[in-house]
Amino acid sequence: MERNNLYPIFLKAKNLNVLIVGGGFVAEEKLTFLLKSSPDAHVTLVSPMFREGTIALAKKGCVTLVEDKYKKKYLRGKHIVVVTTDVPEVNVKVYKHCRKKSILVNVADNPPYCDFYMGGIVTKGNVKVAISTNGKSPTTAKRLRQFFEDVIPENVDDLVKNLNEYRKTIKGDFEEKVETLNEFTKGLIEKKES
């Protein structure tokens, strides 16, 4: 059986500079999901044209729209690049430029040209679950996202905050605290009898 070897991380997008190359539907979709998950993300889009929806979306966040064709200079100071154009030569050129500068890059819908994938995300307050299908099936990731949105209770954030307060009151070293919290939360994820 094939194994997913991707390493999941949660990025503080407000501390990073993200570049999206392209201004079409896919660019708008990537920007939508990025801002939904990280409304404080710093994003620049470069494209000769932008959809009306993208322009409206940009006003809601820390988003800069640059009407221009892609040039290497736009990579300056960027940490992450998402490429969404429908011109394969441009996509490959951006990918190669990013690789030379050690910038993480994702060419949309082109797994061999991706250092990372943007998976399905579920957010309930402080709890966030990210889902990856190893770039194989975005539809499966979407279905799993919908499933987790249904099964994770709305009040899970209250639990997280209460446990954080409770954790501060527990005496003992790290191991003892972990043991106490494990015991305290055991009933949280008990398997239902069928």
Side-chain angles (χ1 to χ4, degrees):
M1 184 174 142
E2 200 177 340
R3 185 177 183 272
N4 185 331
N5 288 332
L6 297 172
Y7 185 74
I9 57 172
F10 291 91
L11 299 168
K12 292 182 178 178
K14 74 173 183 179
N15 296 345
L16 303 171
N17 295 315
V18 180
L19 174 68
I20 297 176
V21 180
F25 178 75
V26 178
E28 189 174 312
E29 186 182 60
K30 299 293 182 189
L31 180 64
T32 301
F33 286 120
L34 180 57
L35 292 180
K36 184 181 175 194
S37 190
S38 302
D40 53 3
H42 294 275
V43 189
T44 302
L45 276 83
V46 174
S47 174
M49 55 69 69
F50 296 103
R51 295 166 53 89
E52 279 181 38
T54 307
I55 295 166
L57 197 57
K59 290 175 183 163
K60 294 177 186 172
C62 188
V63 180
T64 305
L65 301 179
V66 179
E67 275 193 48
D68 195 5
K69 288 186 174 178
Y70 165 78
K71 295 178 181 71
K72 202 193 292 192
K73 70 177 183 179
Y74 292 121
L75 296 180
R76 209 171 292 135
K78 301 299 181 282
H79 302 102
I80 295 173
V81 176
V82 179
V83 193
T84 67
T85 84
D86 55 4
V87 185
E89 302 79 52
V90 172
N91 294 347
V92 172
K93 181 164 74 171
V94 178
Y95 172 80
K96 286 179 177 172
H97 289 167
C98 289
R99 296 303 295 150
K100 276 187 184 153
K101 292 179 174 285
S102 299
I103 298 170
L104 292 176
V105 60
N106 169 295
V107 177
D109 300 323
N110 202 334
Y113 294 94
C114 291
D115 294 323
F116 64 94
Y117 302 129
M118 298 163 99
I121 298 168
V122 179
T123 306
K124 301 260 176 127
N126 284 290
V127 175
K128 185 166 282 198
V129 178
I131 302 147
S132 163
T133 58
N134 215 7
K136 300 271 191 280
S137 175
T139 306
T140 302
K142 179 182 172 185
R143 291 291 172 237
L144 285 169
R145 176 178 56 78
Q146 290 166 339
F147 169 76
F148 282 113
E149 277 174 350
D150 288 344
V151 298
I152 297 173
E154 290 301 327
N155 67 346
V156 73
D157 200 43
D158 296 335
L159 176 73
V160 169
K161 287 174 184 168
N162 292 339
L163 278 176
N164 187 41
E165 289 306 309
Y166 175 60
R167 186 184 68 174
K168 291 174 190 173
T169 68
I170 303 169
K171 303 283 180 254
D173 63 15
F174 179 74
E175 268 183 60
E176 289 171 300
K177 287 184 178 190
V178 168
E179 202 172 305
T180 304
L181 284 169
N182 279 342
E183 196 58 39
F184 189 75
T185 58
K186 199 161 48 176
L188 185 65
I189 321 240
E190 286 191 330
K191 290 185 178 146
K192 305 270 186 276
E193 302 278 328
S194 49

